[in-house]
Amino acid sequence: MSFRERTAIVGIGESEYVRGYEGSPTQLMLDAARIAVADAGMLIKEIDGLIPPPGYTTAEELAANLGIEDLRYSTTHHQGGASPTAALQTAAMAVSAGVASSVLVVLGWNGFSALRPKPGTRRASGGSMGVNALLTTLRDYYGPYGATAPVQWYAWIAMRHKQLFGVPDEAMGAVAIACRKHAQLNDRALTRGRPLDMDGYLRSRWISEPFRLFDCCLETDGAAAVVVTSAENARNLPHRPVVIMGAAEGHPYPADDIPSRRDPFRIGLSFAAPKAFAMAGIRPHDVDFIQIYDCFTYVVLLQLEALGFCKQGEVADFVKDGNIELGGRYPMNTHGGLLSQAHVWGLNHVVEAVRQLRGDAGQAQVKGAELGLVTGWGDFGDGSLVILRSGR
């Protein structure tokens, strides 16, 4: 049984993206959820499936506050930033199997005001992420040596790749600059009005080599949500449906320890991409745009190779000369991404992909966009991928 083209995204919603939200992540998610359901032209009571994030809230809490009286299906993905995109696969399977008729995927957090409050800001309520093997690795093995932040863990993979294949700093800069350029066209982007060029990128301070300041994603408070329903039902709703052609998730081995891997570049997306492309019946080069999870610039480079857009070690040539900017062959993160719009675990990438395929992306619209993809990256390299097409 395949869910290929049997489901579609019919509603999208976002809260405001801010720094200093004083409410809870649950409130942010409720706001985004209501917007998404209204955008779908549906009533709350028509939602009978929920996929919340791994922490901050529960399906039961969301259902009670939204007024979903008959919640038939709920689950949660535990893949960090790969979770929202992976959740689309689960939503598509649930709807295709008849377990639920319409599933709401939602993500929200106080990624600025709760996790890393700055002087002078009020500390908002956060939430618990729970305890798992990954956190045990951090506590018992990485933390004692001072490796306490993602920018340090991912630097191990990035520096190895950079030195092995001679990837120049300008390749990372090309990613940062493309996202910042696209953010200037987006009213919701936190960096709108703050352009970036290569000189400014190269002069930014080091955080953890090879990552400079502008290689690192934003810290924001916000939420996003999407509604998935059957392709048949989608035809009766207001917006042009965005059809889910294929999706997959993948995990590096071992998933909970980077130094133990035989090949550090065999990331979760290395496993997920072939499955998703096979299901969709397309090749990477068939897409009109790409929304790539961009917690750090080098994470983007690793994913581009894993997706098959270029051979290993050749990614610097792929991103140069504006190839990933609007007007280039593969416009990437046309909303600004985590690097320049906001960090809501990549669900904003899905929202942007839907806008592109509806033809509603405004100044950032990719002309004639019919086919696109969205990736997710989380924890120590978990990966997810969804391939979408316009239902026109």
Side-chain angles (χ1 to χ4, degrees):
M1 178 179 177
S2 172
F3 58 82
R4 178 188 178 190
E5 303 205 351
R6 297 183 63 183
T7 61
I9 300 173
V10 295
I12 55 175
E14 296 174 290
S15 72
E16 292 298 319
Y17 297 135
V18 298
R19 289 183 167 184
Y21 182 75
E22 295 185 354
S24 69
T26 299
Q27 186 59 58
L28 286 167
M29 285 184 261
L30 291 171
D31 292 344
R34 293 186 180 107
I35 294 169
V37 175
D39 180 68
M42 301 173 69
L43 301 174
I44 290 289
K45 66 181 181 181
E46 295 177 86
I47 303 296
D48 56 5
L50 272 173
I51 306 181
Y56 311 112
T57 189
T58 63
E60 291 83 356
E61 181 182 31
L62 292 174
N65 283 277
L66 288 170
I68 300 173
E69 296 184 6
D70 182 13
L71 182 61
R72 299 171 57 198
Y73 178 77
S74 66
T75 190
T76 295
H77 280 260
H78 294 269
Q79 295 173 258
S83 301
T85 304
L88 295 177
Q89 173 182 237
T90 301
M93 290 191 295
V95 171
S96 296
V99 177
S101 61
S102 297
V103 177
L104 177 69
V105 178
V106 62
L107 186 290
W109 71 332
N110 289 336
F112 175 88
S113 59
L115 297 184
R116 285 176 287 277
K118 303 301 185 288
T121 64
R122 175 180 172 181
R123 188 182 186 102
S125 59
S128 173
M129 289 295 291
V131 177
N132 55 33
L134 183 146
L135 295 179
T136 300
T137 299
L138 298 179
R139 181 192 65 204
D140 295 345
Y141 297 99
Y142 295 1
Y145 293 93
T148 60
V151 70
Q152 297 169 300
W153 316 327
Y154 300 160
W156 300 337
I157 307 174
M159 185 60 87
R160 173 63 176 163
H161 186 280
K162 189 176 191 296
Q163 293 181 344
L164 191 62
F165 298 107
V167 177
D169 292 349
E170 287 77 6
M172 301 164 70
V175 172
I177 290 167
C179 290
R180 187 63 65 90
K181 280 186 177 180
H182 299 160
Q184 305 314 300
L185 307 175
N186 186 347
D187 290 337
R188 290 181 177 272
L190 291 185
T191 63
R192 188 173 189 187
R194 291 186 283 157
L196 178 68
D197 58 19
M198 188 62 75
D199 182 61
Y201 164 80
L202 292 172
R203 285 190 289 105
S204 64
R205 69 180 186 271
W206 290 108
I207 302 299
S208 179
E209 197 173 358
F211 296 124
R212 293 176 167 86
L213 176 64
F214 295 128
D215 292 308
C216 305
C217 63
L218 298 170
E219 298 175 344
T220 49
D221 306 329
V226 302
V227 177
V228 176
T229 193
S230 68
E232 180 179 5
N233 188 36
R235 290 192 286 269
N236 302 316
L237 297 174
H239 292 291
R240 180 187 306 164
V242 172
V243 178
I244 298 176
M245 297 179 68
E249 69 174 75
H251 306 260
Y253 182 80
D256 61 352
D257 185 28
I258 295 172
S260 294
R261 296 173 191 168
R262 292 181 180 179
D263 182 353
F265 313 134
R266 191 160 175 76
I267 56 178
L269 200 57
S270 304
F271 298 92
K275 298 180 179 69
F277 284 121
M279 180 183 295
I282 69 163
R283 300 170 301 172
H285 298 284
D286 292 331
V287 300
D288 299 309
F289 63 83
I290 54 178
Q291 312 293 354
I292 307 296
Y293 196 92
D294 54 330
C295 51
F296 301 97
T297 55
Y298 218 103
V299 166
V300 172
L301 303 182
L302 294 169
Q303 290 176 92
L304 290 172
E305 291 189 351
L307 285 164
F309 282 107
C310 56
K311 294 180 180 178
Q312 192 172 67
E314 297 181 0
V315 71
D317 288 334
F318 180 82
V319 299
K320 70 180 183 181
D321 299 329
N323 194 43
I324 56 173
E325 296 178 13
L326 285 164
R329 174 60 187 87
Y330 299 101
M332 185 194 79
N333 297 359
T334 47
H335 53 320
L338 277 64
L339 287 166
S340 288
Q341 186 204 29
H343 188 342
V344 284
W345 297 35
L347 195 51
N348 51 328
H349 290 46
V350 178
V351 170
E352 174 67 10
V354 172
R355 288 200 175 105
Q356 288 288 346
L357 294 171
R358 288 179 177 178
D360 293 340
Q363 295 181 75
Q365 182 64 49
V366 175
K367 186 177 180 180
E370 295 284 345
L371 189 63
L373 64 78
V374 184
T375 71
W377 167 292
D379 292 344
F380 290 159
D382 290 345
S384 54
L385 171 64
V386 64
I387 299 168
L388 306 169
R389 72 165 177 84
S390 172
R392 71 168 78 226

